[in-house]
């Protein structure tokens, strides 16, 4: 089964940027749908952005709250999926997880994914 390791989190001021990485091990990440989810303290985990496997057509999903600010992408050679986050806001604060599974048409819901990374903390604060 695929193993996922996130990195790239940290403390950033409002308006700043971060790029999160989700590296895949043991399996080719390109065969999977991959999603980024986040969980703020006291809140449920929510889908931020999800991308289909390379063999499935379709545009990436973005939550309304991040459209125009976040971009999900793949680097097939590095077996890694990225989440570029620009113009960060305090409400983007939380633990960010990447997840993968064989999902033909991802709706970016937590129940669609069985394989999860350990998470990386993102804090947006002045």
């Amino acid at each position: 089964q695929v193993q996922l390791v996130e990195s790239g989190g940290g403390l950033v001021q409002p308006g700043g940027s971060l790029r999160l990485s989700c590296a895949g091990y043991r399996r080719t990440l390109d065969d999977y749908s991959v999603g980024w989810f986040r969980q703020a303290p006291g809140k449920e985990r929510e889908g931020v952005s999800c991308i289909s496997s390379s063999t499935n057509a379709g545009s990436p999903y973005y939550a309304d709250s991040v459209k125009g600010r976040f971009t999900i992408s793949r680097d097939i050679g590095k077996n890694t999926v990225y989440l570029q986050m620009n113009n960060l806001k305090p409400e983007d604060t939380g633990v960010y997880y990447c997840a993968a599974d064989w999902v033909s048409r991802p709706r970016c819901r937590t129940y669609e994914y069985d394989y999860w990374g350990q998470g990386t903390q993102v804090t947006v604060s002045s």
Side-chain angles (χ1 to χ4, degrees), residues 43-120:
K43 294 188 177 181
E44 293 187 356
R45 195 172 298 186
E46 63 174 352
V48 174
S49 181
C50 293
I51 190 169
S52 299
S53 69
S54 295
T55 57
N56 284 299
S59 300
Y61 166 93
Y62 294 98
D64 287 342
S65 59
V66 307
K67 283 181 181 176
R69 300 189 297 123
F70 290 12
T71 303
I72 191 170
S73 63
R74 290 183 182 271
D75 186 328
I76 297 174
K78 294 183 177 180
N79 209 31
T80 298
V81 172
Y82 300 102
L83 184 68
Q84 177 67 44
M85 306 187 296
N86 297 328
N87 190 21
L88 283 161
K89 304 176 180 181
E91 52 263 42
D92 294 319
T93 294
V95 179
Y96 282 69
Y97 300 89
C98 71
D101 213 324
W102 294 287
V103 185
S104 58
R105 295 181 180 180
R107 298 169 61 194
C108 219
R109 302 293 188 264
T110 56
Y111 60 77
E112 294 178 311
Y113 296 88
D114 281 339
Y115 305 109
W116 292 81
Q118 81 288 350
T120 185

Side-chain angles (χ1 to χ4, degrees), residues 6 16 19-20 22 24 30 41 55 68-69 74 90 94 116 120-121 125:
E6 303 99 330
R19 188 178 76 161
L20 305 183
C22 173
D30 195 43
T55 57
R69 300 189 297 123
R74 290 183 182 271
W116 292 81
T120 185
Q121 177 70 45
S125 174

